[in-house]
Amino acid sequence: MKETPTSIDIRFGRHYTVLQSTFWPLSAIASGFLAASMTNAGISSSMTGMTICLSLVAATLLQPCLSSLVDRSEKVSSRLVMLGITGVIGLMNLFMWLFPDSTLLFLLCAGVVSTSVNCAEPFLSSMRIDMARCGISIDFSRARSLGSISYATTVLILGRLIQQFDYSFTRWLAALFSIFVLYGLWSFRAPRDMEVSDSAVRLEKAHALSTGEFLKNHGFFVILMCGVALFSGGQSIVGTFLHLVIEEVGGTSATQGLAMFLASGSEMPAMFLFLFLRRKKMSGSTLFRIASIFYITKPLAMLLALAL
């Protein structure tokens, strides 16, 4: 039987939905057109690719370290990590806007922005779990769906604005947008009478498995993670140089925005239906089989596109 949400569930559910609906536009502004912005600033494609590659490696190493810190520390939470990540994204974009002529600084800031954005999603999702520990139920499916909608809408509008103006305005816009996200994150705190006690937090984190122990005990997850890594690697290559592919066939930044809009929009049905499918007792293995259809179809579609 479905439980009726309480007033505090509704309030925090709306707050979390706003967070998802503001962070993902920030992600779109800060990194959606980052590679194209670097090329437009006179940075070579090889240097752009190297910077994005190093940022992905850095995110791969940093993310589990931050997750382990959250699991083991009594003071560090997913919300606190998100505050730090959002602050770094805003600050780096401010530097890129203020000092556009320094190529070295631009490369450094662009790499840090890419790393930060790639690290953020698990901690944004974990904030809902932290609230669940306090007895506050949040509809993640609806919140994440609206996040996808806001991302898709943002890249569509950005593509047209960049075509009319240039890439530089995205930097101050990202810095400004990060202030709103920071405020939303700062105020996203459970009431004191509902917070989990320090002793309960210590007990839970004392029993938490380390990253190495978890991977050792879950072989299937390791295989799945390797598959996702391979898939994401190809996706990162296409995403990084998408603007060059679009320019080669006569497209513009507006075309890139439309392509990213369609890609982001394709997430929405899965996001909206996730909780419905789980309530229908659909197993995780069945969901993985359904997802594998798309994993197989995408590379086949890309090969077909090359042949056209």
Side-chain angles (χ1 to χ4, degrees):
M1 182 177 176
K2 184 179 177 180
E3 296 183 3
T4 303
T6 63
S7 59
I8 197 166
D9 290 341
I10 294 172
R11 178 161 66 90
F12 276 88
R14 288 173 178 170
H15 193 152
Y16 186 72
T17 299
V18 171
L19 275 177
Q20 288 277 358
S21 300
T22 51
F23 177 79
W24 287 112
L26 172 61
S27 171
I29 298 167
S31 68
F33 294 85
L34 184 60
S37 176
M38 293 171 71
T39 304
N40 184 71
I43 298 171
S44 66
S45 296
S46 60
M47 186 59 70
T48 298
M50 181 64 70
T51 302
I52 299 297
C53 174
L54 290 175
S55 71
L56 291 173
V57 172
T60 302
L61 298 174
L62 183 60
Q63 196 176 85
C65 293
L66 289 173
S67 299
S68 180
L69 179 62
V70 171
D71 288 339
R72 296 295 181 181
S73 173
E74 298 174 22
K75 301 297 183 181
V76 181
S77 64
S78 296
R79 184 181 72 93
L80 188 61
V81 172
M82 278 301 301
L83 279 167
I85 287 174
T86 305
V88 167
I89 292 172
L91 192 62
M92 293 299 104
N93 274 280
L94 184 62
F95 285 159
M96 286 191 288
W97 178 52
L98 293 175
F99 307 104
D101 297 327
S102 176
T103 302
L104 182 61
L105 180 63
F106 193 97
L107 284 171
L108 178 62
C109 291
V112 173
V113 167
S114 180
T115 300
S116 301
V117 170
N118 282 295
C119 281
E121 184 173 4
F123 301 104
L124 184 61
S125 301
S126 296
M127 287 171 59
R128 181 194 68 87
I129 299 173
D130 293 340
M131 284 298 169
R133 293 193 183 103
C134 299
I136 300 173
S137 178
I138 293 175
D139 187 345
F140 177 79
S141 178
R142 181 181 61 183
R144 186 61 183 83
S145 299
L146 291 175
S148 294
I149 293 172
S150 61
Y151 183 96
T153 305
T154 301
V155 293
L156 185 64
I157 295 172
L158 274 179
R160 295 190 176 278
L161 288 177
I162 290 171
Q163 187 176 12
Q164 294 296 322
F165 303 103
D166 59 25
Y167 290 95
S168 62
F169 87 93
T170 61
R171 295 157 203 159
W172 65 258
L173 185 61
L176 179 65
F177 220 86
S178 66
I179 296 174
F180 297 106
V181 180
L182 283 170
Y183 175 76
L185 289 166
W186 181 257
S187 56
F188 189 72
R189 302 184 66 174
R192 290 190 177 276
D193 59 343
M194 298 186 71
E195 289 181 349
V196 181
S197 65
D198 290 341
S199 59
V201 172
R202 282 195 297 269
L203 181 63
E204 180 179 343
K205 293 191 174 184
H207 288 86
L209 293 175
S210 67
T211 302
E213 291 170 337
F214 180 84
L215 295 177
K216 184 178 179 180
N217 295 335
H218 297 82
F220 170 76
F221 181 79
V222 175
I223 296 172
L224 176 65
M225 188 169 60
C226 291
V228 172
L230 291 171
F231 183 83
S232 299
Q235 183 174 318
S236 297
I237 294 171
V238 174
T240 300
F241 298 105
L242 179 63
H243 65 288
L244 296 179
V245 176
I246 289 173
E247 288 174 5
E248 187 176 337
V249 295
T252 63
S253 60
T255 312
Q256 181 180 353
L258 177 60
M260 294 171 69
F261 169 80
L262 295 174
S264 303
S266 66
E267 294 180 353
M268 288 184 279
M271 297 297 180
F272 274 116
L273 290 173
F274 180 76
L275 283 183
F276 171 78
L277 295 175
R278 292 299 290 162
R279 289 185 185 124
K280 292 295 183 180
K281 306 300 182 183
M282 181 174 287
S283 67
S285 60
T286 302
L287 289 174
F288 277 127
R289 291 188 180 96
I290 295 173
S292 68
I293 296 173
F294 296 95
Y295 276 84
I296 295 170
T297 304
K298 179 178 178 178
L300 292 176
M302 291 174 67
L303 289 172
L304 179 62
L306 290 172
L308 294 177

